[in-house]
Each structure stands twice: as C-alpha cells, then as structure tokens.
Amino acid sequence: MNNSDNIYTLAAAGVQRLIPYKAGKPIEELERELGLTQITKLASNENPLGPGKKALEAIASALSELALYPDGSGFLLKQALANKYAVDDSQITLGNGSNEILELVARAFLTPEHEAVFSQHAFAVYPIVTQAVGATAVVVPALNYGHDLDAMLLAVTEKTRLVFIANPNNPTGTLLSQASLARFLDALPNSCVCVLDEAYFEFVNSAEPINSIAWLKDHPNLLITRTFSKAYGLAGLRIGYGLSSPQMADILNRVRQPFNNNNIALVAALAALDDDEHLQQTIAVNTHGMQQLVDGFKALNLAWIPSAGNFVLVDLKQAAMPIYEALLRKGVIVRPVAVYELPNHLRISIGTKTENQLFLDALTEILADVR
Ligand SMILES: *Cc1c(COP(=O)(O)O)cnc(C)c1O
C-alpha cells in the first residue's frame, strides 16, 4: 500500500467520520503566533485562582514518589469522596478527568447497534465518545438553549443505551431543576443508562440545590460525573469521578486502564477536597465575575444566556468569529461556539476581576470599531 491516505479506510467506520474535539487556544500558541506576552485566557472554564494551597503542598510532597506506580484503586481519594457524599466507596469510579468516565460508559454500553441520546448545544464530548464506538447519536433540538427533557424521553427507543445530560450544560450554562430531572429519571426505561454530567456542580447557586446523589439508590442505571478540573482548579492534572450504583461502577472498572489516575492527581484531589476555603473563594470570585460580565454586556446592549456555571454565552447579534479573532489580536482568548450551532455567540469563562475587565475593555473597543 503506497497511498498513505488509504490508512483512513482501515479505521473503524465511526472513527473515519469523527471530527476531533477542538480545545480552547493555548496561551503559548497565541504567544508564538502574535508575539504577544500579556495574554488573558477565558476560554476553557478553568479556575482563575489556580489550585488551592493545600493541593499545591500535596503535589510538592508527592514528587519524590514519581518512580512508583499510583494506587490503581485510588483507595484514599475514594474514601474521602465516599465520606463527603455519604455513599459507599464501591459506588465511585475515578477517571483521568471526568471525560474518561464519559468514554468508559460509552465503551461499556454502546455498540454499533445502539443509540445515544443527547441535546443540541450539549457538551462536544458526547458525540465523540458515541461515534468512536460506532453507535448512533440522536440529537434532540434544544428548548431555550437547554435540554428539552420531554423530547429527549420521546427520543428514547429500545435501541437507546445512553442518555447524556449536562447540568449545568456547557456551553450554554442552562440548568435543569431537581423536579424536572427527577421526573425524567422516573420515566426513563431501565434499559437505558442516564449519564448526568455535573462538571459545574459546585458553581450552582445554593438557592436551587440539586441533590442528584439521592437518586442513586432507586436508579441503578444512573451515573453522575463530576470533576476536579473546574471549581477545584486542577484541570491540568486530569482527575474526575463517577458516582453510581456499585454494579455500574463494577462495569466501568472492567474497561478502565489499571493506572488511569496518576499519583500527583490522586494526592492533589484528596487535598483539594479538604480545602473548603479555596472552594468558597472560587465560588465568590465566580459570582462577582459573572455579575461584572453581565453588567458589561448590558452596557454594551448585548444579550446573554443566564448561566449556572463558571462561564457565560454572550450573543453578539453578528458572526462571532471576526470578533473572536479581533479579541485574539488584543491578547484575549475566549471560545467560539459555532461547532455547537451557536455562530453568533462567544463563550466567556469567568476570570478574576482584572481579567474580566480586560476582556470587557477589548470587546468594547472592537464593537466600537465594527458598529
Ligand atoms: C469541562 C467539562 C467536563 C470535564 O472535564 P474533565 O477535565 O475531563 O473532568 C465534563 N463535562 C462538561 C460539560 C465539561 O464542561
């Protein structure tokens, strides 16, 4: 075989059609491209405060153990999570980021004969993990930018093995209520696994708490995923977890790699769980930053989608890509969301007060030029 493109025809059918995930532009890349040095990245919903002090100390003291394999069972972290959430440690699955949990559940439950249901504008990893295993994605039109749970239920057939729900959803920030989710779970057939992706759980306003863990005892087909990447500020270490029935956790455990969590990530996550002060500070910075951005959008006469997460979608009422590029030239990286069928919106991660202001000032200048 001489033509190296032929190798594509050998890949699994789902993989041949797969469009890879496009991450937020890394700071170093923009530095290289434009020779800029002062760059503000509000593109990947990272914690603008970074990791907490306790996590950093744990990381420093674990460096001497890098020659050793990590504890493949993640015993200590699972125990801490089990205590925190009043579940048994047999109900916990640790992942290399919660993205890995999403991949594990797809590999464990989907085949080319099966379907996965998720919403329009939902997290981009759902179609990727679905297609990679050759299963069929059933995309349900959104309702007011969020999940239309009634329509999603109607889309479930005997072929459906997975339903993905992100709450709050990324990139739209929309939040489903406890009551609507409870109704959905009760109505969902037992033959279908519900993946409830709670990557932004910690940011949800305590006035509308969602106690999803309470559903686990009646729903062995429920898998809740959470992460240390967002509120805990450990995105670079790649660690997240699933909460489920012990049976579901057993199934996921069969397909995971034996050492999927590195020892630095394990100790950092353990320490981060014990650092409520940093978590509360993170939430406070987010609450203030969200208000700052919303006030800025109002002043610019722009609409936005109310968000329960640590990011917000602003509606530019014009193609967002040129504005995105103009922001890049001013050293501000945000996230275009045309791949989510939202070509006129940009997603802004909430930063520190200074970062938010840099973004608003840059946007104000750019809009003054194009208007
Ligand atoms: C960021 C994010 C995740 C997970 O990220 P990890 O870093 O892999 O834990 C999962 N779901 C949604 C909706 C996200 O936005």
mmCIF file of all heavy atoms in Angstrom, residues 96-136:
data_model
loop_
_atom_site.group_PDB
_atom_site.id
_atom_site.type_symbol
_atom_site.label_atom_id
_atom_site.label_comp_id
_atom_site.label_asym_id
_atom_site.label_seq_id
_atom_site.Cartn_x
_atom_site.Cartn_y
_atom_site.Cartn_z
ATOM 1 N N ASN A 96 -9.471 9.771 34.489
ATOM 2 C CA ASN A 96 -8.457 10.710 34.034
ATOM 3 C C ASN A 96 -9.193 11.939 33.477
ATOM 4 O O ASN A 96 -9.339 12.120 32.265
ATOM 5 C CB ASN A 96 -7.607 10.028 32.963
ATOM 6 C CG ASN A 96 -6.329 10.757 32.692
ATOM 7 O OD1 ASN A 96 -6.201 11.437 31.695
ATOM 8 N ND2 ASN A 96 -5.380 10.639 33.585
ATOM 9 N N GLY A 97 -9.704 12.749 34.407
ATOM 10 C CA GLY A 97 -10.701 13.745 34.042
ATOM 11 C C GLY A 97 -12.044 13.043 33.971
ATOM 12 O O GLY A 97 -12.098 11.828 33.774
ATOM 13 N N SER A 98 -13.137 13.811 34.165
ATOM 14 C CA SER A 98 -14.433 13.129 34.032
ATOM 15 C C SER A 98 -14.683 12.757 32.577
ATOM 16 O O SER A 98 -15.503 11.902 32.271
ATOM 17 C CB SER A 98 -15.570 13.967 34.614
ATOM 18 O OG SER A 98 -15.630 15.228 34.009
ATOM 19 N N ASN A 99 -13.952 13.370 31.661
ATOM 20 C CA ASN A 99 -14.028 12.937 30.259
ATOM 21 C C ASN A 99 -13.764 11.449 30.105
ATOM 22 O O ASN A 99 -14.367 10.789 29.268
ATOM 23 C CB ASN A 99 -12.991 13.682 29.420
ATOM 24 C CG ASN A 99 -13.579 14.927 28.808
ATOM 25 O OD1 ASN A 99 -14.537 14.863 28.056
ATOM 26 N ND2 ASN A 99 -13.027 16.074 29.152
ATOM 27 N N GLU A 100 -12.844 10.933 30.900
ATOM 28 C CA GLU A 100 -12.573 9.499 30.769
ATOM 29 C C GLU A 100 -13.781 8.676 31.216
ATOM 30 O O GLU A 100 -14.066 7.631 30.633
ATOM 31 C CB GLU A 100 -11.329 9.073 31.568
ATOM 32 C CG GLU A 100 -10.978 7.625 31.218
ATOM 33 C CD GLU A 100 -9.945 6.974 32.123
ATOM 34 O OE1 GLU A 100 -9.689 7.456 33.231
ATOM 35 O OE2 GLU A 100 -9.405 5.936 31.692
ATOM 36 N N ILE A 101 -14.485 9.148 32.242
ATOM 37 C CA ILE A 101 -15.690 8.422 32.685
ATOM 38 C C ILE A 101 -16.722 8.392 31.540
ATOM 39 O O ILE A 101 -17.384 7.374 31.302
ATOM 40 C CB ILE A 101 -16.310 9.080 33.936
ATOM 41 C CG1 ILE A 101 -15.251 9.337 35.007
ATOM 42 C CG2 ILE A 101 -17.475 8.265 34.452
ATOM 43 C CD1 ILE A 101 -14.851 8.164 35.834
ATOM 44 N N LEU A 102 -16.827 9.520 30.835
ATOM 45 C CA LEU A 102 -17.763 9.572 29.703
ATOM 46 C C LEU A 102 -17.364 8.556 28.632
ATOM 47 O O LEU A 102 -18.204 7.902 28.015
ATOM 48 C CB LEU A 102 -17.801 10.981 29.102
ATOM 49 C CG LEU A 102 -18.202 12.116 30.050
ATOM 50 C CD1 LEU A 102 -18.084 13.474 29.367
ATOM 51 C CD2 LEU A 102 -19.621 11.903 30.577
ATOM 52 N N GLU A 103 -16.073 8.427 28.442
ATOM 53 C CA GLU A 103 -15.590 7.464 27.453
ATOM 54 C C GLU A 103 -15.802 6.023 27.933
ATOM 55 O O GLU A 103 -16.209 5.146 27.157
ATOM 56 C CB GLU A 103 -14.103 7.726 27.192
ATOM 57 C CG GLU A 103 -13.599 7.031 25.968
ATOM 58 C CD GLU A 103 -12.109 7.279 25.763
ATOM 59 O OE1 GLU A 103 -11.598 8.324 26.205
ATOM 60 O OE2 GLU A 103 -11.477 6.396 25.168
ATOM 61 N N LEU A 104 -15.551 5.783 29.216
ATOM 62 C CA LEU A 104 -15.728 4.431 29.758
ATOM 63 C C LEU A 104 -17.181 3.980 29.632
ATOM 64 O O LEU A 104 -17.459 2.839 29.251
ATOM 65 C CB LEU A 104 -15.320 4.378 31.242
ATOM 66 C CG LEU A 104 -13.855 4.606 31.590
ATOM 67 C CD1 LEU A 104 -13.646 4.505 33.099
ATOM 68 C CD2 LEU A 104 -12.952 3.613 30.871
ATOM 69 N N VAL A 105 -18.099 4.872 29.935
ATOM 70 C CA VAL A 105 -19.509 4.458 29.900
ATOM 71 C C VAL A 105 -19.946 4.196 28.464
ATOM 72 O O VAL A 105 -20.730 3.283 28.192
ATOM 73 C CB VAL A 105 -20.417 5.483 30.634
ATOM 74 C CG1 VAL A 105 -20.630 6.755 29.857
ATOM 75 C CG2 VAL A 105 -21.755 4.839 30.988
ATOM 76 N N ALA A 106 -19.401 4.976 27.529
ATOM 77 C CA ALA A 106 -19.739 4.731 26.121
ATOM 78 C C ALA A 106 -19.174 3.385 25.667
ATOM 79 O O ALA A 106 -19.865 2.596 25.020
ATOM 80 C CB ALA A 106 -19.190 5.861 25.242
ATOM 81 N N ARG A 107 -17.932 3.100 26.048
ATOM 82 C CA ARG A 107 -17.327 1.827 25.630
ATOM 83 C C ARG A 107 -18.029 0.644 26.274
ATOM 84 O O ARG A 107 -18.143 -0.425 25.688
ATOM 85 C CB ARG A 107 -15.839 1.820 25.973
ATOM 86 C CG ARG A 107 -15.022 2.400 24.833
ATOM 87 C CD ARG A 107 -13.576 2.642 25.180
ATOM 88 N NE ARG A 107 -12.957 1.576 25.935
ATOM 89 C CZ ARG A 107 -11.989 1.764 26.840
ATOM 90 N NH1 ARG A 107 -11.575 3.002 27.093
ATOM 91 N NH2 ARG A 107 -11.452 0.771 27.461
ATOM 92 N N ALA A 108 -18.490 0.825 27.507
ATOM 93 C CA ALA A 108 -19.109 -0.288 28.227
ATOM 94 C C ALA A 108 -20.530 -0.569 27.758
ATOM 95 O O ALA A 108 -20.995 -1.705 27.848
ATOM 96 C CB ALA A 108 -19.100 0.003 29.728
ATOM 97 N N PHE A 109 -21.246 0.437 27.266
ATOM 98 C CA PHE A 109 -22.675 0.236 26.989
ATOM 99 C C PHE A 109 -23.079 0.381 25.526
ATOM 100 O O PHE A 109 -24.148 -0.092 25.149
ATOM 101 C CB PHE A 109 -23.519 1.197 27.840
ATOM 102 C CG PHE A 109 -23.550 0.814 29.291
ATOM 103 C CD1 PHE A 109 -22.639 1.349 30.192
ATOM 104 C CD2 PHE A 109 -24.479 -0.104 29.762
ATOM 105 C CE1 PHE A 109 -22.660 0.983 31.527
ATOM 106 C CE2 PHE A 109 -24.508 -0.478 31.091
ATOM 107 C CZ PHE A 109 -23.592 0.060 31.990
ATOM 108 N N LEU A 110 -22.276 1.051 24.722
ATOM 109 C CA LEU A 110 -22.709 1.301 23.341
ATOM 110 C C LEU A 110 -22.042 0.342 22.362
ATOM 111 O O LEU A 110 -20.876 -0.017 22.537
ATOM 112 C CB LEU A 110 -22.359 2.735 22.926
ATOM 113 C CG LEU A 110 -23.107 3.872 23.621
ATOM 114 C CD1 LEU A 110 -22.577 5.221 23.124
ATOM 115 C CD2 LEU A 110 -24.605 3.761 23.379
ATOM 116 N N THR A 111 -22.775 -0.057 21.348
ATOM 117 C CA THR A 111 -22.229 -0.834 20.227
ATOM 118 C C THR A 111 -22.786 -0.202 18.945
ATOM 119 O O THR A 111 -23.664 0.675 19.028
ATOM 120 C CB THR A 111 -22.693 -2.312 20.265
ATOM 121 O OG1 THR A 111 -24.056 -2.360 19.812
ATOM 122 C CG2 THR A 111 -22.579 -2.918 21.656
ATOM 123 N N PRO A 112 -22.355 -0.633 17.779
ATOM 124 C CA PRO A 112 -22.914 -0.074 16.541
ATOM 125 C C PRO A 112 -24.429 -0.307 16.396
ATOM 126 O O PRO A 112 -25.083 0.369 15.600
ATOM 127 C CB PRO A 112 -22.140 -0.810 15.440
ATOM 128 C CG PRO A 112 -20.820 -1.103 16.080
ATOM 129 C CD PRO A 112 -21.148 -1.448 17.509
ATOM 130 N N GLU A 113 -25.007 -1.212 17.179
ATOM 131 C CA GLU A 113 -26.461 -1.421 17.115
ATOM 132 C C GLU A 113 -27.225 -0.435 18.010
ATOM 133 O O GLU A 113 -28.450 -0.419 17.986
ATOM 134 C CB GLU A 113 -26.838 -2.850 17.565
ATOM 135 C CG GLU A 113 -26.665 -3.904 16.499
ATOM 136 C CD GLU A 113 -25.195 -4.254 16.316
ATOM 137 O OE1 GLU A 113 -24.567 -4.622 17.324
ATOM 138 O OE2 GLU A 113 -24.681 -4.105 15.189
ATOM 139 N N HIS A 114 -26.497 0.334 18.806
ATOM 140 C CA HIS A 114 -27.167 1.137 19.825
ATOM 141 C C HIS A 114 -27.124 2.636 19.551
ATOM 142 O O HIS A 114 -26.342 3.100 18.720
ATOM 143 C CB HIS A 114 -26.558 0.844 21.201
ATOM 144 C CG HIS A 114 -26.868 -0.529 21.688
ATOM 145 N ND1 HIS A 114 -25.901 -1.436 22.051
ATOM 146 C CD2 HIS A 114 -28.057 -1.154 21.831
ATOM 147 C CE1 HIS A 114 -26.481 -2.568 22.415
ATOM 148 N NE2 HIS A 114 -27.784 -2.430 22.288
ATOM 149 N N GLU A 115 -27.995 3.336 20.290
ATOM 150 C CA GLU A 115 -28.090 4.787 20.129
ATOM 151 C C GLU A 115 -27.807 5.498 21.454
ATOM 152 O O GLU A 115 -28.082 4.961 22.521
ATOM 153 C CB GLU A 115 -29.508 5.183 19.682
ATOM 154 C CG GLU A 115 -29.854 4.628 18.312
ATOM 155 C CD GLU A 115 -31.296 4.904 17.897
ATOM 156 O OE1 GLU A 115 -32.077 5.446 18.713
ATOM 157 O OE2 GLU A 115 -31.630 4.561 16.750
ATOM 158 N N ALA A 116 -27.264 6.696 21.332
ATOM 159 C CA ALA A 116 -27.099 7.574 22.500
ATOM 160 C C ALA A 116 -27.878 8.857 22.215
ATOM 161 O O ALA A 116 -27.782 9.408 21.122
ATOM 162 C CB ALA A 116 -25.635 7.905 22.747
ATOM 163 N N VAL A 117 -28.656 9.299 23.190
ATOM 164 C CA VAL A 117 -29.470 10.497 23.047
ATOM 165 C C VAL A 117 -28.819 11.638 23.829
ATOM 166 O O VAL A 117 -28.402 11.447 24.981
ATOM 167 C CB VAL A 117 -30.902 10.236 23.597
ATOM 168 C CG1 VAL A 117 -31.696 11.528 23.698
ATOM 169 C CG2 VAL A 117 -31.635 9.225 22.711
ATOM 170 N N PHE A 118 -28.694 12.786 23.182
ATOM 171 C CA PHE A 118 -28.260 13.983 23.902
ATOM 172 C C PHE A 118 -28.832 15.204 23.210
ATOM 173 O O PHE A 118 -29.453 15.097 22.153
ATOM 174 C CB PHE A 118 -26.735 14.052 24.047
ATOM 175 C CG PHE A 118 -25.959 13.817 22.785
ATOM 176 C CD1 PHE A 118 -25.709 14.849 21.902
ATOM 177 C CD2 PHE A 118 -25.478 12.548 22.478
ATOM 178 C CE1 PHE A 118 -24.994 14.619 20.729
ATOM 179 C CE2 PHE A 118 -24.755 12.318 21.313
ATOM 180 C CZ PHE A 118 -24.517 13.350 20.441
ATOM 181 N N SER A 119 -28.649 16.367 23.820
ATOM 182 C CA SER A 119 -29.298 17.582 23.338
ATOM 183 C C SER A 119 -28.430 18.357 22.360
ATOM 184 O O SER A 119 -27.196 18.341 22.457
ATOM 185 C CB SER A 119 -29.626 18.476 24.539
ATOM 186 O OG SER A 119 -30.195 19.698 24.096
ATOM 187 N N GLN A 120 -29.095 19.051 21.461
ATOM 188 C CA GLN A 120 -28.420 20.092 20.667
ATOM 189 C C GLN A 120 -27.750 21.070 21.650
ATOM 190 O O GLN A 120 -28.287 21.305 22.733
ATOM 191 C CB GLN A 120 -29.482 20.834 19.847
ATOM 192 C CG GLN A 120 -28.945 21.937 18.962
ATOM 193 C CD GLN A 120 -30.083 22.808 18.422
ATOM 194 O OE1 GLN A 120 -31.190 22.798 18.944
ATOM 195 N NE2 GLN A 120 -29.791 23.555 17.375
ATOM 196 N N HIS A 121 -26.632 21.625 21.283
ATOM 197 C CA HIS A 121 -25.838 22.549 22.120
ATOM 198 C C HIS A 121 -25.260 21.875 23.358
ATOM 199 O O HIS A 121 -24.822 22.570 24.286
ATOM 200 C CB HIS A 121 -26.634 23.774 22.613
ATOM 201 C CG HIS A 121 -27.434 24.501 21.597
ATOM 202 N ND1 HIS A 121 -26.961 24.809 20.350
ATOM 203 C CD2 HIS A 121 -28.694 25.020 21.652
ATOM 204 C CE1 HIS A 121 -27.894 25.478 19.691
ATOM 205 N NE2 HIS A 121 -28.948 25.612 20.455
ATOM 206 N N ALA A 122 -25.280 20.539 23.455
ATOM 207 C CA ALA A 122 -24.711 19.900 24.650
ATOM 208 C C ALA A 122 -23.214 19.679 24.451
ATOM 209 O O ALA A 122 -22.667 19.910 23.372
ATOM 210 C CB ALA A 122 -25.424 18.590 24.959
ATOM 211 N N PHE A 123 -22.565 19.230 25.489
ATOM 212 C CA PHE A 123 -21.103 19.120 25.535
ATOM 213 C C PHE A 123 -20.564 18.272 24.362
ATOM 214 O O PHE A 123 -21.068 17.194 24.067
ATOM 215 C CB PHE A 123 -20.724 18.484 26.864
ATOM 216 C CG PHE A 123 -19.256 18.466 27.171
ATOM 217 C CD1 PHE A 123 -18.439 19.543 26.890
ATOM 218 C CD2 PHE A 123 -18.690 17.347 27.774
ATOM 219 C CE1 PHE A 123 -17.089 19.520 27.203
ATOM 220 C CE2 PHE A 123 -17.352 17.308 28.093
ATOM 221 C CZ PHE A 123 -16.543 18.398 27.800
ATOM 222 N N ALA A 124 -19.501 18.759 23.738
ATOM 223 C CA ALA A 124 -18.981 18.175 22.493
ATOM 224 C C ALA A 124 -18.401 16.774 22.657
ATOM 225 O O ALA A 124 -18.211 16.062 21.669
ATOM 226 C CB ALA A 124 -17.912 19.097 21.906
ATOM 227 N N VAL A 125 -18.126 16.377 23.880
ATOM 228 C CA VAL A 125 -17.536 15.047 24.068
ATOM 229 C C VAL A 125 -18.575 13.932 23.849
ATOM 230 O O VAL A 125 -18.214 12.820 23.468
ATOM 231 C CB VAL A 125 -16.860 14.964 25.460
ATOM 232 C CG1 VAL A 125 -16.492 13.547 25.830
ATOM 233 C CG2 VAL A 125 -15.601 15.833 25.459
ATOM 234 N N TYR A 126 -19.864 14.235 24.044
ATOM 235 C CA TYR A 126 -20.880 13.176 23.882
ATOM 236 C C TYR A 126 -20.901 12.602 22.461
ATOM 237 O O TYR A 126 -20.873 11.383 22.299
ATOM 238 C CB TYR A 126 -22.280 13.659 24.300
ATOM 239 C CG TYR A 126 -22.330 14.348 25.643
ATOM 240 C CD1 TYR A 126 -23.289 15.324 25.916
ATOM 241 C CD2 TYR A 126 -21.421 14.038 26.657
ATOM 242 C CE1 TYR A 126 -23.340 15.969 27.154
ATOM 243 C CE2 TYR A 126 -21.472 14.688 27.888
ATOM 244 C CZ TYR A 126 -22.411 15.652 28.122
ATOM 245 O OH TYR A 126 -22.457 16.301 29.324
ATOM 246 N N PRO A 127 -20.954 13.468 21.423
ATOM 247 C CA PRO A 127 -20.908 12.882 20.079
ATOM 248 C C PRO A 127 -19.596 12.149 19.797
ATOM 249 O O PRO A 127 -19.591 11.133 19.090
ATOM 250 C CB PRO A 127 -21.082 14.093 19.149
ATOM 251 C CG PRO A 127 -20.888 15.309 19.991
ATOM 252 C CD PRO A 127 -21.240 14.919 21.387
ATOM 253 N N ILE A 128 -18.502 12.621 20.358
ATOM 254 C CA ILE A 128 -17.210 11.981 20.073
ATOM 255 C C ILE A 128 -17.174 10.566 20.647
ATOM 256 O O ILE A 128 -16.841 9.600 19.945
ATOM 257 C CB ILE A 128 -16.046 12.839 20.625
ATOM 258 C CG1 ILE A 128 -15.952 14.152 19.836
ATOM 259 C CG2 ILE A 128 -14.723 12.063 20.538
ATOM 260 C CD1 ILE A 128 -14.899 15.115 20.351
ATOM 261 N N VAL A 129 -17.530 10.400 21.919
ATOM 262 C CA VAL A 129 -17.449 9.061 22.516
ATOM 263 C C VAL A 129 -18.478 8.122 21.888
ATOM 264 O O VAL A 129 -18.265 6.919 21.809
ATOM 265 C CB VAL A 129 -17.580 9.091 24.059
ATOM 266 C CG1 VAL A 129 -16.434 9.869 24.687
ATOM 267 C CG2 VAL A 129 -18.923 9.627 24.533
ATOM 268 N N THR A 130 -19.594 8.694 21.433
ATOM 269 C CA THR A 130 -20.635 7.874 20.790
ATOM 270 C C THR A 130 -20.155 7.363 19.436
ATOM 271 O O THR A 130 -20.231 6.169 19.137
ATOM 272 C CB THR A 130 -21.925 8.719 20.627
ATOM 273 O OG1 THR A 130 -22.356 9.146 21.907
ATOM 274 C CG2 THR A 130 -23.020 7.919 19.945
ATOM 275 N N GLN A 131 -19.643 8.271 18.624
ATOM 276 C CA GLN A 131 -19.185 7.893 17.281
ATOM 277 C C GLN A 131 -17.980 6.981 17.333
ATOM 278 O O GLN A 131 -17.816 6.104 16.485
ATOM 279 C CB GLN A 131 -18.791 9.139 16.495
ATOM 280 C CG GLN A 131 -19.957 9.808 15.816
ATOM 281 C CD GLN A 131 -19.446 10.827 14.803
ATOM 282 O OE1 GLN A 131 -18.481 10.571 14.087
ATOM 283 N NE2 GLN A 131 -20.085 11.967 14.772
ATOM 284 N N ALA A 132 -17.103 7.199 18.296
ATOM 285 C CA ALA A 132 -15.866 6.424 18.341
ATOM 286 C C ALA A 132 -16.146 4.932 18.482
ATOM 287 O O ALA A 132 -15.360 4.111 18.029
ATOM 288 C CB ALA A 132 -14.984 6.913 19.502
ATOM 289 N N VAL A 133 -17.268 4.588 19.117
ATOM 290 C CA VAL A 133 -17.612 3.169 19.256
ATOM 291 C C VAL A 133 -18.619 2.729 18.193
ATOM 292 O O VAL A 133 -19.163 1.630 18.267
ATOM 293 C CB VAL A 133 -18.147 2.851 20.677
ATOM 294 C CG1 VAL A 133 -17.038 3.048 21.709
ATOM 295 C CG2 VAL A 133 -19.361 3.685 21.021
ATOM 296 N N GLY A 134 -18.870 3.589 17.217
ATOM 297 C CA GLY A 134 -19.720 3.210 16.092
ATOM 298 C C GLY A 134 -21.204 3.250 16.386
ATOM 299 O O GLY A 134 -22.015 2.773 15.586
ATOM 300 N N ALA A 135 -21.585 3.809 17.539
ATOM 301 C CA ALA A 135 -23.009 3.905 17.866
ATOM 302 C C ALA A 135 -23.620 5.127 17.179
ATOM 303 O O ALA A 135 -22.907 5.974 16.643
ATOM 304 C CB ALA A 135 -23.191 4.004 19.381
ATOM 305 N N THR A 136 -24.946 5.207 17.203
ATOM 306 C CA THR A 136 -25.647 6.292 16.533
ATOM 307 C C THR A 136 -26.021 7.379 17.535
ATOM 308 O O THR A 136 -26.590 7.090 18.588
ATOM 309 C CB THR A 136 -26.938 5.751 15.866
ATOM 310 O OG1 THR A 136 -26.553 4.729 14.953
ATOM 311 C CG2 THR A 136 -27.683 6.838 15.127
#
